Amino acid sequence: MAEVEAKEYLKGGEFLIRTVESDEIFIPEDFSEEQKMMAQATTDFIEKEVVPQRDRFEKKDYAFTEEIMKKAGELGLLGITVPEEFGGLGMDFNTSMLVCDRISGVSGSLSTAYGAHTGIGTLPVQLYGTDAQREKYLPGLASGEIMGAYCLTEPGAGSDANSGKTKAELTEDGKHYKINGQKIWISNAGFANLFTVFARIEDDKYLTAFLVERGTEGMSFGEEEHKLGIHASSTRQVFFNDCIVPVENMLGERNGGFKIAMNALNYGRIKLAVACLDAARRVISYGVSYANERKQFGVSISSFGAIQQKLAEMTTKTWVAESAVYRAGQDIENHIIRLQEGGMSSAEAKLKGVEEYAIECAILKVLGSEVGSYVADEGIQIYGGMGYSADAPMEQAYRDVRIARIYEGTNEINRLHSVAMLLKKALKGEMDLMSPAMKVAGELMEIPSFDTPDYSVLFAEEKEIIEKLKKSILMVAGKAVETFGMDLEAEQEIIMNAAEMLIEVYAAESGILRAEKLAKQKGEEAVAHEINMAKLYLHGAMEQVAKHGREAIYSFAEGDEQRMMLMGLKRFTKAANPYNLKTLRRSIAAKVISDNKYPF
Amino acid sequence: MKVLVCISHVPDTTSKINFTADNSAFDKNGVQFVINPYDEFGLTRAIWLKEKKGASVTVLNVGGNETEPTLRKALAIGADNAIRVDAEPSDAFFVAKQIAAVAQEGGYDLIIAGRESIDYNGGQVPGMVAALLNWPFVNACVGMDGEGPEFNFTREIDGGKEKLSASLPLVIGGQKGLVEESDLRIPNMRGIMQARTKPLEVKAAVDAETKTSVGSFSKPAPKSAVKMIDAENVSELVQLLHDEAKVI
């Protein structure tokens, strides 16, 4: 009897050290009819209620943002993952990703309001609240009757969130906390009714979270901030002057606030990544329709290779980011289910499920926001002078997406974080990074294998390349750890290099696996464009890994060791059969041009 | 009141239309399907009858199982149950026979269909259904009010509007005006989840002849480029209209 070995699920960060097969990953095409209907309903809502009036966002019409949020609540869009007993839909994590995707593309103002409310505004109550707190607030948060906000950042405490100076002091009767301090950049502050406020009790090591209702005495607000983009996202300072909050409004445990903040951020990061997708799709659709319409030298500018190249890259990056985001989204959902089946409470499982994939969340936050920025930038370029005008849609998209690289942890913090978490997992013995890194180091000394895969099999070479790219990371990161030990933390430039490599590999692998899975389902011919996009992205990833690998190696290895590593890197980042990139891009662009919109 | 709403499963209005290699059929590849917009006005009107007068609303489609997502969307919007007659909708007469059979068997007293479907635009089905059932027929209906069983209707006619009244049972061929575009409903999330548990019955087709057969399809010729002629140059214009456009 053949031995059947159930494959272990892919743990967070483990993609780096193990081969992932296409049947292990979720692809957006796997969404059920019901999930697709929810996505379509969300898009219909945006098209009907928001698009005709989108100018109102640019005029800083905060009331419009609030009005759309309330309508979203009526449709059920604010309570996707809130349990049914609290008035939500009790749907899975990836459905909440899908809805967040579709609601977020039209305007960064709405995207921010939605993200702040459903993410950091609702989740802490849902996941850490007592029964009484959840009964009191969750149904309203799910329906939109209560709007949520989250007060963590302070003038002196941004990325270093735990250094906040806001104090919470127990009153003499022991029944209240008195909160004093100043919070800044608080999204939804203008219309939120419920604020999750982080403050320190006495000289505690960590912050503690409190639920503070609007109108509580001692709470006041600054003026609306005027910002580069997301003009109708209400952003104000919130001041606490002897603000008295009942003790039962403490959320979670004393000293537990920082953990809440960090876990909420894990959620926020992957949600932010997905929130960048539909904006990118919309920019591509505007871009291609403009390029088809705009005539210069007697022809549509979409007939020029220089424009086609842009359309192909914009579309490819968006499609790949989408592949990576939903892949991780389902990994998280599957883990939540596993943990619940193992007896964990739903709230706990939701926390641990996301925490397991915190590395992926950080990677995706960077990927999603940078793809969004790239696409918006090229979108303006396609429009030329018109793109710079506030009368064309690109200008708003460009300004709105800029914040995505800053909030939910800056992209720098997330890059550092992704690598740091990986190393921490290795240090704690949760993941064996050392043996594969040693194996790669050993391989450098050996004569390279001359075995070649069967190139006639779809993606045979690409999958080999993915493995080699992973080896590049292991080689560079392994050597860096060996060289600097615990002092690596101070070598942020090298960590940034490693993070870049990690992001590119996760993205490229997600694209290849999605195209492969699709080819298995529909045949290679039917998904030729997807195959081309996966290849095009992989090429770019290979170049990036080579570049960042070299930079890292130059910055800490010397002499023979440097030469050996550079040779290894060269071997790992070289394709046996290079693509004709021009042909790939033209074929992808042809599809976008003929559909006259983002076609996937 | 039992309302039967006929739902056509049609390509989204923004779809690119192509035909199979031999031009004998519409190429469904890569096409997204939606509820026929004319039917959607009718569906929304039916849901008003449900909400205001306690009517029951059944949605019906004649088609293969690929049309079920469209029916489930109608359920998500608010219909109570759905019926799919499992058959290829080969022509208007065949479809009308199926609808009439379902209507008779189910004891419905109001049938609302779109005045036409935006795929083949035959515009024949609701009239045929009315004829088969021997019921009154209000086509191109743009307004409906009353408490029932008698209703007042407004219908669009050439150059104006006609007001008339009719009593149940009857058939409506509806369009915009029956409700306005802003009245159309986006299914809410709970509705979508509930659609899963609402009954969707699959029925075998009754015997019916297909009375027409399709020869072939072709697309309209693409528009040629516009030629601009200087306003001063009338003689060139005349010459082109005569020699090239051949209209004078």
Side-chain angles (χ1 to χ4, degrees), chain A residues 44-75:
Chain A
D44 290 347
F45 166 67
I46 293 295
E47 294 298 331
K48 186 176 171 187
E49 301 284 349
V50 184
V51 169
Q53 304 184 70
R54 57 187 286 178
D55 279 359
R56 292 176 67 183
F57 288 124
E58 296 324 296
K59 294 182 182 133
K60 304 188 178 176
D61 187 345
Y62 307 103
F64 182 54
T65 306
E66 188 183 359
E67 177 193 322
I68 294 299
M69 285 295 288
K70 298 273 182 203
K71 285 186 180 168
E74 285 164 22
L75 268 189

Coordinates of all heavy atoms in Angstrom, one line a residue, chain A residues 44-75:
Chain A
D44 N -21.0 47.4 -7.0 CA -22.2 48.1 -7.5 C -22.6 49.3 -6.5 O -23.0 50.4 -7.0 CB -23.4 47.2 -7.5 CG -23.3 46.1 -8.6 OD1 -22.4 46.3 -9.5 OD2 -24.0 45.1 -8.6
F45 N -22.4 49.1 -5.3 CA -22.6 50.1 -4.3 C -21.7 51.3 -4.5 O -22.2 52.5 -4.6 CB -22.4 49.6 -2.9 CG -22.3 50.6 -1.8 CD1 -23.4 51.4 -1.4 CD2 -21.1 50.8 -1.1 CE1 -23.3 52.3 -0.4 CE2 -21.0 51.7 -0.1 CZ -22.1 52.5 0.3
I46 N -20.5 51.0 -4.8 CA -19.5 52.1 -5.0 C -19.9 52.9 -6.3 O -19.9 54.1 -6.4 CB -18.1 51.5 -5.1 CG1 -17.6 51.0 -3.8 CG2 -17.1 52.6 -5.7 CD1 -17.5 52.0 -2.7
E47 N -20.2 52.1 -7.4 CA -20.5 52.7 -8.6 C -21.8 53.6 -8.5 O -21.8 54.7 -9.1 CB -20.7 51.7 -9.7 CG -19.4 50.9 -10.1 CD -18.3 51.8 -10.6 OE1 -18.6 52.8 -11.3 OE2 -17.1 51.4 -10.4
K48 N -22.7 53.1 -7.8 CA -24.0 53.8 -7.7 C -24.0 55.0 -6.7 O -24.5 56.1 -7.0 CB -25.1 52.8 -7.3 CG -26.5 53.3 -7.3 CD -27.5 52.3 -7.0 CE -28.9 52.8 -6.9 NZ -29.9 51.8 -6.4
E49 N -23.5 54.7 -5.6 CA -23.6 55.7 -4.5 C -22.4 56.7 -4.4 O -22.5 57.8 -3.9 CB -23.7 55.0 -3.1 CG -24.9 54.1 -3.0 CD -26.2 54.9 -2.8 OE1 -26.2 56.1 -2.6 OE2 -27.3 54.3 -3.0
V50 N -21.2 56.2 -4.9 CA -20.0 57.0 -4.6 C -19.5 57.7 -5.9 O -19.2 58.9 -5.9 CB -18.9 56.2 -3.9 CG1 -17.7 57.0 -3.6 CG2 -19.4 55.5 -2.7
V51 N -19.3 56.9 -6.9 CA -18.6 57.4 -8.1 C -19.2 58.7 -8.7 O -18.5 59.6 -8.9 CB -18.5 56.3 -9.2 CG1 -18.1 56.9 -10.6 CG2 -17.6 55.2 -8.8
P52 N -20.6 58.8 -8.8 CA -21.1 60.0 -9.3 C -20.8 61.2 -8.5 O -20.9 62.4 -9.0 CB -22.6 59.7 -9.4 CG -22.8 58.3 -9.3 CD -21.6 57.8 -8.5
Q53 N -20.5 61.0 -7.2 CA -20.2 62.2 -6.3 C -18.8 62.2 -5.8 O -18.6 62.9 -4.8 CB -21.2 62.1 -5.1 CG -22.7 62.0 -5.5 CD -23.5 62.1 -4.2 OE1 -23.6 63.1 -3.6 NE2 -24.1 60.9 -3.9
R54 N -17.9 61.5 -6.4 CA -16.6 61.4 -5.8 C -15.9 62.7 -5.6 O -15.0 62.8 -4.7 CB -15.7 60.4 -6.6 CG -15.6 60.8 -8.1 CD -14.8 59.8 -8.9 NE -13.4 59.7 -8.5 CZ -12.6 58.9 -9.1 NH1 -13.0 58.0 -9.9 NH2 -11.3 58.9 -8.7
D55 N -16.2 63.7 -6.4 CA -15.6 65.0 -6.2 C -15.8 65.5 -4.8 O -15.0 66.3 -4.3 CB -16.3 66.1 -7.1 CG -15.7 65.9 -8.5 OD1 -14.8 65.1 -8.7 OD2 -16.2 66.7 -9.4
R56 N -16.9 65.1 -4.1 CA -17.1 65.6 -2.8 C -16.0 65.3 -1.8 O -15.7 66.0 -0.9 CB -18.5 65.1 -2.2 CG -19.6 65.7 -3.0 CD -21.0 65.1 -2.6 NE -21.3 65.4 -1.2 CZ -22.4 64.9 -0.6 NH1 -23.2 64.1 -1.2 NH2 -22.7 65.3 0.7
F57 N -15.3 64.1 -2.1 CA -14.2 63.8 -1.2 C -13.1 64.8 -1.4 O -12.5 65.2 -0.4 CB -13.6 62.4 -1.7 CG -14.5 61.2 -1.3 CD1 -14.9 60.3 -2.3 CD2 -14.9 61.0 0.0 CE1 -15.7 59.2 -2.0 CE2 -15.6 59.9 0.3 CZ -16.1 59.0 -0.6
E58 N -12.9 65.3 -2.6 CA -11.8 66.2 -2.8 C -12.1 67.6 -2.2 O -11.2 68.3 -2.0 CB -11.4 66.3 -4.3 CG -11.0 65.0 -4.9 CD -10.1 64.2 -3.9 OE1 -9.0 64.7 -3.6 OE2 -10.5 63.1 -3.5
K59 N -13.4 67.8 -2.0 CA -13.7 69.1 -1.4 C -13.8 69.0 0.1 O -14.4 69.9 0.8 CB -15.1 69.6 -2.0 CG -14.9 69.9 -3.5 CD -16.2 70.4 -4.0 CE -16.1 70.6 -5.5 NZ -17.2 70.1 -6.3
K60 N -13.2 68.0 0.7 CA -13.1 67.8 2.1 C -14.5 67.8 2.7 O -14.8 68.4 3.8 CB -12.3 69.0 2.7 CG -10.9 69.0 2.1 CD -10.0 70.0 2.9 CE -8.6 69.9 2.2 NZ -7.7 70.9 2.7
D61 N -15.4 67.1 2.1 CA -16.7 66.9 2.6 C -16.8 65.7 3.5 O -17.1 64.6 3.1 CB -17.7 66.7 1.4 CG -19.1 66.7 1.7 OD1 -19.4 66.6 2.9 OD2 -20.0 66.9 0.8
Y62 N -16.4 65.9 4.8 CA -16.3 64.8 5.7 C -17.7 64.2 5.9 O -17.8 63.0 6.2 CB -15.8 65.3 7.1 CG -14.5 66.1 6.9 CD1 -14.4 67.4 7.0 CD2 -13.3 65.4 6.7 CE1 -13.2 68.1 6.8 CE2 -12.1 66.0 6.5 CZ -12.0 67.4 6.5 OH -10.9 68.1 6.4
A63 N -18.7 65.0 5.8 CA -20.1 64.5 6.0 C -20.4 63.4 5.0 O -21.1 62.5 5.2 CB -21.1 65.6 6.0
F64 N -19.9 63.6 3.8 CA -20.1 62.6 2.7 C -19.5 61.3 3.1 O -20.1 60.2 2.9 CB -19.5 63.2 1.4 CG -19.8 62.2 0.2 CD1 -21.0 61.8 -0.1 CD2 -18.7 61.8 -0.6 CE1 -21.2 60.9 -1.2 CE2 -18.9 61.0 -1.7 CZ -20.2 60.5 -2.0
T65 N -18.2 61.4 3.6 CA -17.6 60.1 4.0 C -18.4 59.4 5.1 O -18.7 58.2 5.0 CB -16.2 60.5 4.6 OG1 -15.5 61.2 3.7 CG2 -15.4 59.2 5.0
E66 N -18.9 60.2 6.0 CA -19.7 59.6 7.1 C -21.0 59.0 6.5 O -21.4 57.9 6.8 CB -20.1 60.6 8.1 CG -20.8 60.1 9.4 CD -21.2 61.1 10.4 OE1 -20.9 62.3 10.1 OE2 -21.7 60.8 11.4
E67 N -21.6 59.7 5.6 CA -22.9 59.3 4.9 C -22.7 57.9 4.2 O -23.5 57.0 4.3 CB -23.3 60.4 4.0 CG -24.6 60.1 3.2 CD -24.7 61.1 2.0 OE1 -24.4 62.3 2.2 OE2 -25.1 60.7 0.9
I68 N -21.6 57.9 3.5 CA -21.3 56.6 2.7 C -21.0 55.5 3.7 O -21.4 54.3 3.5 CB -20.1 56.8 1.7 CG1 -20.5 57.8 0.6 CG2 -19.7 55.5 1.1 CD1 -21.7 57.4 -0.2
M69 N -20.3 55.8 4.8 CA -20.0 54.7 5.8 C -21.3 54.2 6.4 O -21.5 53.0 6.6 CB -19.1 55.3 6.9 CG -17.7 55.5 6.4 SD -16.9 53.9 6.1 CE -16.7 53.2 7.7
K70 N -22.3 55.1 6.6 CA -23.6 54.7 7.2 C -24.3 53.8 6.2 O -24.9 52.8 6.5 CB -24.4 55.9 7.5 CG -23.9 56.8 8.6 CD -24.2 56.4 10.0 CE -23.6 57.4 11.0 NZ -23.4 56.8 12.3
K71 N -24.3 54.2 4.9 CA -24.9 53.4 3.9 C -24.2 52.0 3.7 O -24.9 51.0 3.5 CB -24.9 54.1 2.5 CG -25.9 55.3 2.5 CD -25.9 55.9 1.1 CE -27.0 57.0 1.0 NZ -26.8 57.8 -0.2
A72 N -22.9 52.0 3.9 CA -22.2 50.8 3.8 C -22.6 49.9 5.0 O -22.8 48.7 4.8 CB -20.7 51.0 3.9
G73 N -22.9 50.5 6.1 CA -23.4 49.8 7.3 C -24.7 49.1 7.0 O -25.0 48.0 7.3
E74 N -25.6 49.9 6.3 CA -27.0 49.3 6.0 C -26.8 48.1 5.1 O -27.7 47.2 5.1 CB -27.8 50.4 5.3 CG -28.3 51.5 6.2 CD -28.8 52.7 5.5 OE1 -29.2 52.6 4.3 OE2 -28.8 53.8 6.2
L75 N -25.9 48.2 4.2 CA -25.7 47.0 3.2 C -25.0 45.8 3.9 O -24.9 44.8 3.3 CB -24.8 47.4 2.1 CG -25.5 48.0 0.8 CD1 -24.5 48.1 -0.3 CD2 -26.6 47.0 0.3

